[in-house]
């Protein structure tokens, strides 16, 4: 089985079973493909039986992956366990052989084996390759951080430090650009946030791992927020980062 990455464009669903007792369901999707990390879509509040995502997710394809993609639909609950809304099994043979599968509707199967509703998905397969070139990172700002002053950015054995925004509080604005030369081994950009101390060691405040595959494939990822996680994995605000990539032959 080929290795690489599968681009899954989650378009929309129609006629799903609305599992919410009061009001409408808040649907989201979880994508599973063998041993690859699971990918989750955004939650659509009150979208009910006919959610429209128009969202693109990237799934790693390993040599041990099964020949299908499992998409599990859930209703997001404020309290308690999220409620299943059904599953879809998407065969991947055509994606591997043809590299593209146009928008296709798949039936949604409930836990009792019956079908209820359809999910529309588009697929594109990218065979595994080494991405060598120039990665440009735009570190724009922080949002609701724990008083971060500066950031350390690491990628492919290279490191850059942002300017120190002393006393910038929870919403520092950096507006800085950094350049990394990728050798083909890079998969993520690691960003660590710190509070600058004059007389003691700088205090670590949280970390962000930003996947680079979309930038490698598309050439550019528009600025968007990435969640900062503390030592215990707790959310600690977001940083806004934009990416662009220029491939070298």
């Amino acid at each position: 089985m080929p290795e690489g990455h599968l681009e899954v464009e989650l378009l929309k669903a129609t006629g799903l079973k609305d599992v919410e007792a009061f009001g409408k369901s808040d649907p989201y999707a979880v994508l599973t493909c063998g041993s690859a990390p699971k990918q989750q879509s955004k939650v659509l509040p009150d979208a009910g039986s006919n959610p429209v995502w128009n969202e693109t997710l990237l799934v790693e394809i390993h040599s041990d992956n099964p020949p299908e993609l499992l998409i599990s639909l859930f209703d997001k609950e404020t309290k308690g366990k999220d409620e299943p809304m059904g599953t879809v099994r998407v065969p991947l043979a055509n994606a591997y052989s043809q590299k593209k599968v146009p928008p296709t509707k798949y039936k949604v199967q409930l836990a009792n084996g019956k079908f209820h509703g359809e999910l529309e998905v588009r697929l594109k397969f990218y065979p595994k390759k080494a991405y060598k070139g120039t990665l440009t990172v735009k570190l724009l700002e922080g949002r609701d951080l724990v008083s971060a002053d500066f950031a350390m950015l690491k990628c492919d054995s290279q490191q850059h430090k942002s300017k120190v925004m002393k006393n910038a509080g929870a919403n520092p604005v950096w507006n800085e650009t950094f350049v990394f030369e990728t050798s083909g081994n890079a998969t993520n950009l690691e960003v660590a946030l710190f509070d600058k101390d004059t007389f003691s060691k700088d205090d670590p405040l949280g970390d962000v791992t930003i996947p680079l595959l979309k930038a490698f494939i598309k050439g550019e990822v528009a600025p968007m927020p990435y969640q900062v996680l503390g030592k215990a994995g707790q959310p600690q605000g977001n940083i806004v980062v934009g990416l662009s990539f220029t491939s070298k032959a």
Side-chain angles (χ1 to χ4, degrees):
M1 183 178 296
E3 294 185 74
H5 291 86
L6 183 71
E7 181 181 87
V8 181
E9 190 173 352
L10 195 65
L11 299 173
K12 62 182 179 180
T14 54
L16 297 180
K17 182 177 177 60
D18 199 333
V19 297
E20 194 66 53
F22 302 98
K24 293 184 177 181
S25 296
D26 307 321
Y28 69 92
V30 176
L31 281 58
T32 306
C33 197
S35 61
K38 294 182 179 181
Q39 302 294 323
Q40 180 177 316
S41 77
K42 58 191 175 186
V43 178
L44 299 179
D46 296 323
S49 300
N50 302 295
V52 177
W53 283 281
N54 286 328
E55 181 177 2
T56 300
L57 301 167
L58 287 169
V59 179
E60 293 182 31
I61 300 295
H62 298 163
S63 58
D64 62 340
N65 275 353
E68 65 178 10
L69 170 71
L70 176 66
I71 303 179
S72 303
L73 303 175
F74 295 91
D75 170 34
K76 185 68 176 178
E77 298 290 347
T78 305
K79 296 181 179 179
K81 189 176 181 180
D82 294 343
E83 188 77 19
M85 299 181 71
T87 58
V88 172
R89 295 185 180 276
V90 180
L92 299 179
N94 286 342
Y96 295 146
S97 61
Q98 301 173 18
K99 301 298 183 289
K100 293 182 180 180
V101 177
T104 304
K105 294 180 180 180
Y106 301 89
K107 291 184 178 181
V108 178
Q109 188 172 28
L110 303 178
N112 60 10
K114 296 182 179 180
F115 292 94
H116 202 298
E118 293 181 322
L119 178 67
E120 188 172 1
V121 174
R122 178 191 283 119
L123 303 176
K124 188 173 182 179
F125 178 67
Y126 298 90
K128 185 178 180 179
K129 63 175 288 187
Y131 293 97
K132 299 180 181 180
T134 301
L135 176 71
T136 302
V137 179
K138 295 182 180 179
L139 177 64
L140 299 179
E141 63 184 12
R143 297 175 181 173
D144 301 320
L145 302 178
V146 185
S147 298
D149 292 331
F150 71 94
M152 296 294 298
L153 296 81
K154 297 181 181 180
C155 180
D156 207 355
S157 302
Q158 300 159 64
Q159 180 171 294
H160 293 293
K161 178 182 177 180
S162 77
K163 59 190 175 186
V164 176
M165 304 298 295
K166 199 63 180 175
N167 300 319
N171 302 294
V173 177
W174 288 286
N175 279 331
E176 286 190 84
T177 299
F178 306 94
V179 176
F180 296 87
E181 298 299 327
T182 62
S183 63
N185 298 317
T187 56
N188 298 313
L189 170 70
E190 304 291 341
V191 184
L193 300 174
F194 294 87
D195 175 37
K196 182 67 177 178
D197 286 329
T198 304
F199 301 107
S200 61
K201 187 177 179 180
D202 297 333
D203 296 325
L205 299 177
D207 299 281
V208 182
T209 298
I210 300 176
L212 297 177
L213 180 63
K214 189 173 182 179
F216 291 156
I217 292 174
K218 300 293 186 181
E220 185 173 4
V221 178
M224 61 180 292
Y226 295 90
Q227 190 173 70
V228 179
L229 298 178
K231 289 183 179 180
Q234 74 277 19
Q236 299 204 143
N238 298 274
I239 58 172
V240 178
V241 175
L243 305 170
S244 61
F245 178 72
T246 303
S247 179
K248 291 182 180 179

